Amino acid sequence: MADQKKRRRVGEKEPETLPFKSKLKPDSAILQIVKKLAEQEAAASTSTAKPLTLADLKLAQACREVSDLPLSSVQSRIEELVLSITHSIMSENGFSLTVPSRSAANQLYVPELDRIVLKDKTSIRPYANVSTVRKTAITTRIMQLIYQLCLKNIHVTKRDLFYTDVKLFQDQTQSDAVLDDVSCILGCTRSSLNVVAAEKGVVVGRLMFSDNGDMIDCTKMGMGGKAIPPNIDRVGDMSSDALFILLVEKDAAYMRLAEDRFYNRFPCIIVTAKGQPDVATRLFLRKMKMELKLPVLALVDSDPYGLKILSVYGCGSKNMSYDSSNLTTPDIKWLGIRPSDLDKYKIPEQCRLPMTEQDIKTGKDLLEEDFVKKNPGWVEELNLMVKSKQKAEIQALSSFGFQYLSEVYLPLKLQQQDWL
Amino acid sequence: MADQKKRRRVGEKEPETLPFKSKLKPDSAILQIVKKLAEQEAAASTSTAKPLTLADLKLAQACREVSDLPLSSVQSRIEELVLSITHSIMSENGFSLTVPSRSAANQLYVPELDRIVLKDKTSIRPYANVSTVRKTAITTRIMQLIYQLCLKNIHVTKRDLFYTDVKLFQDQTQSDAVLDDVSCILGCTRSSLNVVAAEKGVVVGRLMFSDNGDMIDCTKMGMGGKAIPPNIDRVGDMSSDALFILLVEKDAAYMRLAEDRFYNRFPCIIVTAKGQPDVATRLFLRKMKMELKLPVLALVDSDPYGLKILSVYGCGSKNMSYDSSNLTTPDIKWLGIRPSDLDKYKIPEQCRLPMTEQDIKTGKDLLEEDFVKKNPGWVEELNLMVKSKQKAEIQALSSFGFQYLSEVYLPLKLQQQDWL
């Protein structure tokens, strides 16, 4: 096999020089630059000993946040709630639940924290009311099921939860929505409830961690990588000699980098959720960043959804804003593909795609978001995208050869410290 | 943590007995039964020294099959083809390609092989014809790109391939379809072309294998499991002390079994493609079955799609019938959830779902398929499904408790040798 790999026919010309390849300095020089970034990151995370909290901003009363709780505390909180309900019923005040509102009007972007949080509006969910009786019953039933999970200390999916009482829940969207309500009511994260979503993410590169007691070495995971565990509470003992974390939007680019073992040339950890960020990957990324104190560089498509995905990792989603302190990874740097890269790297016209009306609208909506506005560089790029009406996927770089991404584009980006 | 796990309040009643749990024999007795199955499998695979081929059935001329080829052979075949085209052009016969037809009319189910194969019909794709000029150009371009991959010995995705010439391909469905044509023209598998699809599958349990040179121990992959590598040619050195392979349709059930470490109680390998079987998982399953000589038991939803998925693993899909000899895993046993299980295990009415018109149609269509007909047990089950008009997901078992699947249902199925 070995000599077949290299076999070239007589007279076959060498592959033409890749555009911009001549600009690349030796790897050692690029490594120096990346090392400096990693040192800055480590210094920053030790100097600001404690990250800002809602309390520091005197927002602890005005906003609502949940936290990771051990199972025993979740159990106690359910017991306390049930006790208070019993008292209420016995003193003839009936049975009702106070549920934090998760509507759009109750969301707040806090620039100092650079994430979306939930404000303190709540609504009353009385049992003795024809419009809320069903939802109150569902909420109580979900709490009962969570209580069982606490006793058994096992993890289940939302789908499992739905199936324990199809007659009551009728439709999985109903049990899913109430599950988020229960997180808010009890003041704990959804992970604390031991309900997990299907895993999607994979990780490969210079990372060691334990998954449910097994030590995993992510440099020894071949091309497939290690599936990110659905339950973050069983992940621990993270260690790494990486200089940065490379967050990749899609799995085609991830695969290219894994096969080329990019992490050996530039020590890094490569992670992807294969599209939309799922809860498990978001928790895993945050845990890596926090424990290893590494900078995070993001490689996403040059379209509004790429930036949207970046913002969900960084600032959180509106749907789960109550848990943004646990789900978000601060200070993610936008490495590429940025709208300005399209001309800078001379991406051929035929590999760019025209933006649809919907794309342009999403782009303009993003320009109104506080978490975009606070970063002038991002605003500039997004303006360029909306103006040029062109988008491009990471894979568009393949037009210069399949390995252009790993051999030229990324090294040059690192060398030029070209992140925002 | 340890004592929190077990903590039970005074007066709290023990969980009620699970239905049918009393029928379970001790694990040692069930293990004996499973061991017998594994021995039968091993005996069967040594006695039939060579599996039947198209040539044995005198169908080698009437049917077309591709095979795994080393990169150097793929390269040679492309060179030979280009040479013959050059000759044709120079002798003023013009340029055309002979392309095997992959239409439904050109498919054949061969009962002796228990898989779908491609018949020998071909069509001519001339360059000098307005209706085929574009497709001929695309086919030639794809072959040129494959040739480059051979020289570099790297793997790319279909998406990468598309992006190397968006102007020509216009739409990814066009380059994807032609890629299958090129496999047929060159007579090699798509894996041989080094074009892979996104990986979806995961594996956990009693399996060791090498992925791109790294040894992987799937008992030490925590709950997340090991992502199945996209490129089967870099997978090797499989070894196992398992007694069977448990093929699971969906990841919720997979997660339950991984967390409960079901493979430690009953030595097995657990694998899932998280829904529709992808090429990587199909190749991986076949490789496990062939190298380890283990029986494969399937756990799918009790609906027409569950059986359809089972049949794709077992007999292949029409779309890739040209490669069915590499993609299919013979003799997969249908363990559950079977339509007869719904009453047998007293699945509550509210956890069963009514079949839609489309479901019933798909069920009836399956009854017409030869690969269903050849298994009287399957026909009976499918008839019951279509008659009762009820379906159920694996997760419906959660109505008896989240761990019912791993603690009662599967052990009892094994004990009763209740597979078809």
Side-chain angles (χ1 to χ4, degrees):
Chain A
M1 265 309 274
D3 72 357
Q4 284 167 10
K5 281 188 204 174
K6 307 266 173 190
R7 134 183 139 120
R8 285 249 163 75
R9 295 297 164 92
V10 183
E12 182 195 320
K13 70 170 183 175
E14 282 295 302
E16 59 270 61
T17 324
L18 293 169
F20 302 103
K21 192 168 183 181
S22 56
K23 286 200 177 178
L24 272 182
K25 295 183 187 168
D27 281 5
S28 56
I30 302 177
L31 274 173
Q32 280 311 318
I33 291 163
V34 181
K35 258 181 204 153
K36 229 173 75 185
L37 172 70
E39 282 160 14
Q40 283 165 0
E41 181 71 33
S45 51
T46 40
S47 71
T48 55
K50 250 187 62 183
L52 273 183
T53 64
L54 284 174
D56 299 330
L57 302 168
K58 306 208 190 318
L59 282 170
Q61 295 304 314
C63 295
R64 183 177 303 269
E65 242 174 9
V66 300
S67 53
D68 270 321
L69 291 182
L71 283 184
S72 57
S73 307
V74 174
Q75 209 176 324
S76 306
R77 290 202 179 178
I78 296 176
E79 288 164 1
E80 284 158 20
L81 186 64
V82 171
L83 257 178
S84 78
I85 290 171
T86 316
H87 281 303
S88 169
I89 294 172
M90 290 176 68
S91 50
E92 298 184 354
N93 291 321
F95 163 24
S96 72
L97 293 165
T98 306
V99 184
S101 157
R102 294 186 296 111
S103 69
N106 202 32
Q107 315 275 351
L108 179 70
Y109 171 76
V110 183
E112 295 86 348
L113 302 175
D114 190 21
R115 56 183 168 84
I116 302 169
V117 298
L118 197 63
K119 292 193 282 182
D120 65 343
K121 220 180 92 189
T122 58
S123 65
I124 304 294
R125 199 171 278 178
Y127 185 74
N129 182 318
V130 76
S131 71
T132 48
V133 56
R134 238 183 69 73
K135 220 162 181 181
T136 313
I138 293 176
T139 315
T140 320
R141 178 78 168 117
I142 292 277
M143 278 196 275
Q144 184 200 18
L145 292 168
I146 300 293
Y147 193 80
Q148 286 176 16
L149 292 180
C150 293
L151 289 177
K152 291 193 174 165
N153 191 25
I154 58 168
H155 294 81
V156 300
T157 60
K158 291 178 176 182
R159 191 78 181 149
D160 283 308
L161 214 55
F162 163 67
Y163 260 111
T164 50
D165 203 339
V166 177
K167 206 171 204 164
L168 175 63
F169 301 142
Q170 287 176 1
D171 179 323
Q172 200 189 326
T173 55
Q174 299 196 24
S175 51
D176 285 359
V178 166
L179 186 65
D180 281 321
D181 289 341
V182 168
S183 271
C184 291
I185 295 172
L186 300 177
C188 66
T189 61
R190 207 176 69 198
S191 323
S192 310
L193 301 180
N194 274 16
V195 180
V196 298
E199 44 175 332
K200 282 201 315 165
V202 279
V203 61
V204 79
R206 314 276 273 234
L207 172 71
M208 306 261 293
F209 71 97
S210 66
D211 175 1
N212 208 5
D214 297 330
M215 272 315 294
I216 312 286
D217 180 349
C218 297
T219 61
K220 303 224 167 74
M221 288 293 129
M223 224 176 113
K226 170 73 180 87
I228 290 178
N231 44 344
I232 194 73
D233 51 321
R234 303 232 170 138
V235 169
D237 309 309
M238 281 184 169
S239 66
S240 173
D241 64 348
L243 295 174
F244 62 98
I245 298 165
L246 189 60
L247 174 66
V248 178
E249 177 179 342
K250 294 217 201 116
D251 53 350
Y254 166 88
M255 211 195 75
R256 175 81 280 117
L257 297 168
E259 184 171 54
D260 293 350
R261 303 221 183 211
F262 184 76
Y263 52 84
N264 283 341
R265 185 165 165 204
F266 302 104
C268 64
I269 302 165
I270 304 169
V271 65
T272 182
K274 302 183 181 177
Q276 289 300 329
D278 57 310
V279 168
T281 309
R282 288 162 70 188
L283 289 168
F284 193 83
L285 178 68
R286 180 184 167 83
K287 198 176 173 80
M288 282 200 290
K289 159 102 183 177
M290 290 305 163
E291 299 203 350
L292 306 172
K293 306 195 192 314
L294 290 174
V296 181
L297 303 174
L299 178 66
V300 296
D301 287 344
S302 177
D303 62 25
Y305 311 101
L307 192 59
K308 184 101 193 162
I309 282 172
L310 184 51
S311 80
V312 169
Y313 282 113
C315 315
S317 67
K318 288 186 179 155
N319 192 36
M320 292 189 77
S321 61
Y322 64 88
D323 194 11
S324 66
S325 65
N326 297 291
L327 286 168
T328 57
T329 303
D331 195 25
I332 299 178
K333 291 174 171 60
W334 189 8
L335 187 69
I337 311 288
R338 296 206 309 268
S340 62
D341 288 345
L342 304 195
D343 283 345
K344 198 167 159 194
Y345 288 88
K346 300 195 169 54
I347 307 275
E349 279 297 324
Q350 69 263 32
C351 294
R352 309 181 189 191
L353 300 166
M355 287 170 79
T356 63
E357 285 302 315
Q358 183 56 46
D359 291 341
I360 295 169
K361 188 181 170 307
T362 309
K364 285 184 176 160
D365 287 350
L366 275 175
L367 277 166
E368 298 302 312
E369 296 280 0
D370 291 321
F371 60 80
V372 172
K373 280 189 198 160
K374 76 153 245 173
N375 199 326
W378 291 23
V379 174
E380 207 175 301
E381 291 283 357
L382 199 51
N383 268 322
L384 178 63
M385 187 196 300
V386 173
K387 217 179 110 199
S388 71
K389 295 184 183 166
Q390 284 187 326
K391 58 181 182 178
E393 294 182 37
I394 306 171
Q395 299 324 109
L397 294 171
S398 297
S399 54
F400 300 124
F402 296 117
Q403 292 174 299
Y404 192 75
L405 172 71
S406 53
E407 290 189 353
V408 179
Y409 179 80
L410 284 179
L412 198 57
K413 278 271 174 181
L414 294 175
Q415 173 182 316
Q416 300 180 335
Q417 304 179 50
D418 189 14
W419 49 73
L420 290 177
Chain B
M1 266 311 274
D3 70 357
Q4 283 167 11
K5 284 189 203 174
K6 307 268 173 186
R7 136 184 135 120
R8 285 249 165 78
R9 295 300 163 91
V10 183
E12 184 195 317
K13 69 168 182 175
E14 282 295 302
E16 58 270 62
T17 324
L18 293 169
F20 302 104
K21 193 168 182 181
S22 56
K23 287 201 177 178
L24 274 181
K25 293 183 188 168
D27 282 5
S28 56
I30 302 176
L31 274 173
Q32 281 309 319
I33 292 164
V34 181
K35 257 180 207 154
K36 229 172 75 186
L37 173 70
E39 283 160 13
Q40 283 165 359
E41 181 71 34
S45 51
T46 39
S47 70
T48 55
K50 252 187 63 185
L52 273 184
T53 64
L54 284 174
D56 298 331
L57 301 168
K58 307 210 189 316
L59 282 170
Q61 296 305 314
C63 296
R64 184 177 301 269
E65 241 174 8
V66 300
S67 53
D68 270 321
L69 291 183
L71 284 184
S72 56
S73 308
V74 175
Q75 210 176 323
S76 309
R77 291 203 179 178
I78 295 175
E79 287 164 1
E80 285 158 20
L81 186 63
V82 171
L83 258 177
S84 78
I85 289 171
T86 317
H87 281 302
S88 169
I89 294 172
M90 290 176 66
S91 51
E92 297 185 353
N93 291 319
F95 163 24
S96 70
L97 294 165
T98 305
V99 185
S101 158
R102 294 186 296 107
S103 70
N106 202 32
Q107 315 276 351
L108 178 70
Y109 172 77
V110 182
E112 295 86 350
L113 303 174
D114 190 21
R115 55 183 168 85
I116 302 169
V117 298
L118 197 64
K119 290 193 283 183
D120 65 344
K121 218 179 93 190
T122 59
S123 64
I124 306 292
R125 200 172 276 179
Y127 185 74
N129 181 318
V130 77
S131 72
T132 48
V133 56
R134 238 181 69 72
K135 220 160 180 184
T136 313
I138 293 176
T139 315
T140 321
R141 179 78 168 118
I142 292 276
M143 277 196 274
Q144 184 198 21
L145 292 169
I146 300 292
Y147 193 78
Q148 286 176 18
L149 292 181
C150 293
L151 289 177
K152 291 193 175 165
N153 190 24
I154 57 168
H155 294 80
V156 301
T157 60
K158 292 179 177 180
R159 190 79 181 149
D160 283 307
L161 215 56
F162 163 67
Y163 260 112
T164 51
D165 204 339
V166 177
K167 207 172 202 162
L168 175 63
F169 301 142
Q170 287 176 0
D171 180 323
Q172 199 188 325
T173 54
Q174 300 196 24
S175 51
D176 285 359
V178 166
L179 185 65
D180 281 321
D181 289 341
V182 169
S183 269
C184 290
I185 294 172
L186 300 177
C188 66
T189 62
R190 207 175 68 199
S191 322
S192 309
L193 302 180
N194 273 17
V195 181
V196 298
E199 43 175 331
K200 281 201 318 163
V202 278
V203 60
V204 80
R206 314 276 274 235
L207 173 71
M208 305 261 295
F209 72 97
S210 66
D211 175 1
N212 207 5
D214 298 329
M215 272 314 293
I216 311 286
D217 180 349
C218 297
T219 60
K220 303 225 167 74
M221 288 292 131
M223 224 175 113
K226 171 73 179 85
I228 291 178
N231 44 345
I232 195 73
D233 52 319
R234 304 233 170 138
V235 169
D237 309 309
M238 281 184 170
S239 67
S240 173
D241 65 347
L243 295 174
F244 61 100
I245 297 166
L246 188 59
L247 175 64
V248 178
E249 177 179 344
K250 295 216 200 117
D251 53 350
Y254 167 87
M255 210 194 77
R256 172 82 281 116
L257 297 169
E259 184 171 53
D260 293 350
R261 303 220 183 214
F262 184 76
Y263 52 83
N264 282 341
R265 186 166 164 203
F266 301 104
C268 64
I269 302 166
I270 304 169
V271 65
T272 181
K274 302 182 181 178
Q276 288 300 329
D278 57 310
V279 169
T281 308
R282 288 162 68 187
L283 289 168
F284 194 83
L285 179 69
R286 181 183 166 84
K287 198 175 173 78
M288 282 199 292
K289 160 102 183 177
M290 290 305 164
E291 301 204 349
L292 306 172
K293 308 198 190 312
L294 290 175
V296 180
L297 303 174
L299 178 66
V300 297
D301 287 344
S302 176
D303 61 26
Y305 310 101
L307 191 60
K308 183 102 191 157
I309 282 172
L310 184 50
S311 80
V312 169
Y313 282 112
C315 316
S317 66
K318 289 187 178 156
N319 192 36
M320 293 189 75
S321 60
Y322 64 87
D323 194 9
S324 66
S325 65
N326 297 290
L327 286 168
T328 56
T329 303
D331 195 25
I332 298 178
K333 291 174 172 62
W334 189 8
L335 187 67
I337 310 289
R338 295 206 310 268
S340 61
D341 288 346
L342 305 195
D343 283 343
K344 198 166 159 193
Y345 288 88
K346 300 194 168 53
I347 307 274
E349 279 297 324
Q350 69 263 30
C351 295
R352 309 181 188 191
L353 300 167
M355 286 170 80
T356 63
E357 285 304 315
Q358 183 56 47
D359 290 339
I360 294 169
K361 188 181 171 307
T362 309
K364 284 183 177 163
D365 287 351
L366 275 175
L367 277 166
E368 298 302 312
E369 297 281 1
D370 290 323
F371 59 82
V372 171
K373 281 189 199 160
K374 77 155 243 172
N375 199 325
W378 291 22
V379 173
E380 205 175 304
E381 291 283 356
L382 199 50
N383 269 324
L384 178 62
M385 187 197 298
V386 173
K387 217 180 109 198
S388 70
K389 296 186 182 166
Q390 284 187 325
K391 57 181 182 178
E393 295 182 36
I394 306 172
Q395 299 324 110
L397 294 172
S398 297
S399 55
F400 299 124
F402 297 116
Q403 291 173 300
Y404 192 75
L405 172 70
S406 53
E407 291 189 352
V408 179
Y409 179 80
L410 284 180
L412 198 57
K413 278 272 174 181
L414 294 174
Q415 173 182 315
Q416 299 180 335
Q417 306 179 50
D418 188 13
W419 51 73
L420 288 177

